[in-house]
Amino acid sequence: AQTVTQSQPEMSVQEAETVTLSCTYDTSENNYYLFWYKQPPSRQMILVIRQEAYKQQNATENRFSVNFQKAAKSFSLKISDSQLGDTAMYFCAFMTPQGGSEKLVFGKGTKLTVNP
Amino acid sequence: DTGVSQNPRHKITKRGQNVTFRCDPISEHNRLYWYRQTLGQGPEFLTYFQNEAQLEKSRLLSDRFSAERPKGSFSTLEIQRTEQGDSAMYLCASSSISSNSPLHFGNGTRLTVT
């Protein structure tokens, strides 16, 4: 079974600074996808960034980038120039296309607070 | 794209009562998922539909839980004889059939069983 571990229950960062959220996963699959989702307080979960395991290049979306280390099974999220609106729960998630449902397996989340 | 809609947003019920939640996915999405999220945890997969067919159910989905998607559009999740341990946020998500199409989540239904 696949598992996703987020070892930082809470983190805080000053506005405009950079923060990195950690995520490790365990799988025996070779073909899979990794995701970071953001869940703001009382709002719906939205996709932040996605990484295909077969791609060596780290994904980037504006201020969000990942450090994907396949051998170490590590998938960290870096948020640059943090903004107050980045305050949210961040969930790392894993998905394998094997088996058809493509369901996501989530970590427990990291609560990020951006301070003014 | 009106997004994934879930109703009600909140439900408070007494132990032993039945509850039903509704999810309206994005209209062109074939895939529909239900997840459960408890305090301090990430969402946990409950069940998956492709069109009207329920193709996968988690072991978390006890016999008291049933989900339907009768016409391949909206879905309902019913919990019979609710227990306090059923208190959680129930999330619905949808995606298209194309490979690695991202999941779009609804706002969820928060269930409190007293």
Side-chain angles (χ1 to χ4, degrees):
Chain A
Q2 291 86 9
T3 59
V4 177
T5 302
Q6 293 180 250
S7 59
Q8 305 151 316
E10 293 192 39
M11 292 192 72
S12 63
V13 64
Q14 292 299 121
E15 196 174 7
E17 293 188 348
T18 295
V19 64
T20 298
L21 308 184
S22 301
C23 172
T24 58
Y25 59 94
D26 188 24
T27 184
S28 58
E29 301 288 342
N30 194 47
N31 181 27
Y32 53 88
Y33 300 84
L34 295 161
F35 306 83
W36 279 98
Y37 276 85
K38 169 185 177 182
Q39 188 176 41
S42 301
R43 292 181 62 187
Q44 69 192 125
M45 192 164 323
I46 57 174
L47 178 65
V48 174
I49 198 165
R50 168 172 60 187
Q51 175 82 41
E52 291 89 346
Y54 63 86
K55 289 187 176 179
Q56 292 186 340
Q57 187 173 7
N58 289 324
T60 298
E61 288 287 343
N62 300 314
R63 299 183 294 107
F64 299 87
S65 61
V66 298
N67 183 4
F68 174 45
Q69 301 290 327
K70 190 172 184 178
K73 295 182 181 175
S74 170
F75 183 61
S76 62
L77 174 70
K78 185 172 81 171
I79 306 174
S80 304
D81 186 25
S82 297
Q83 300 176 0
L84 296 178
D86 295 333
T87 292
M89 286 292 295
Y90 285 82
F91 293 96
C92 179
F94 170 99
M95 184 270 281
T96 174
Q98 310 302 326
S101 72
E102 299 189 359
K103 63 180 179 287
L104 294 173
V105 176
F106 287 88
K108 290 187 176 183
T110 296
K111 183 179 180 181
L112 176 67
T113 302
V114 180
N115 299 308
Chain B
D1 182 353
T2 56
V4 178
S5 176
Q6 290 188 248
N7 289 288
R9 290 293 303 273
H10 304 274
K11 179 70 176 178
I12 300 174
T13 191
K14 292 185 177 179
R15 189 175 54 189
Q17 297 295 305
N18 299 342
V19 294
T20 300
F21 311 139
R22 177 178 171 126
C23 171
D24 288 90
I26 293 171
S27 57
E28 62 268 24
H29 283 181
N30 314 86
R31 293 177 164 173
L32 187 146
Y33 302 79
W34 285 98
Y35 286 82
R36 180 171 68 187
Q37 185 178 20
T38 53
L39 267 176
Q41 303 292 322
E44 296 172 297
F45 170 78
L46 291 179
T47 191
Y48 159 68
F49 290 86
Q50 185 171 308
N51 299 313
E52 67 276 8
Q54 188 175 20
L55 298 183
E56 187 171 345
K57 292 195 293 184
S58 164
R59 285 171 293 178
L60 293 175
L61 214 64
S62 76
D63 291 345
R64 297 183 297 106
F65 288 70
S66 63
E68 294 183 343
R69 195 182 183 197
K71 297 182 181 179
S73 56
F74 73 91
S75 176
T76 58
L77 177 67
E78 181 183 17
I79 309 174
Q80 295 182 327
R81 305 181 302 282
T82 52
E83 302 172 356
Q84 287 187 322
D86 296 332
S87 295
M89 176 75 84
Y90 290 83
L91 297 171
C92 178
S94 69
S95 69
S96 73
I97 199 75
S98 61
S99 180
N100 66 66
S101 169
L103 284 191
H104 295 258
F105 283 85
N107 283 311
T109 293
R110 181 168 295 283
L111 173 66
T112 302
V113 181
T114 61

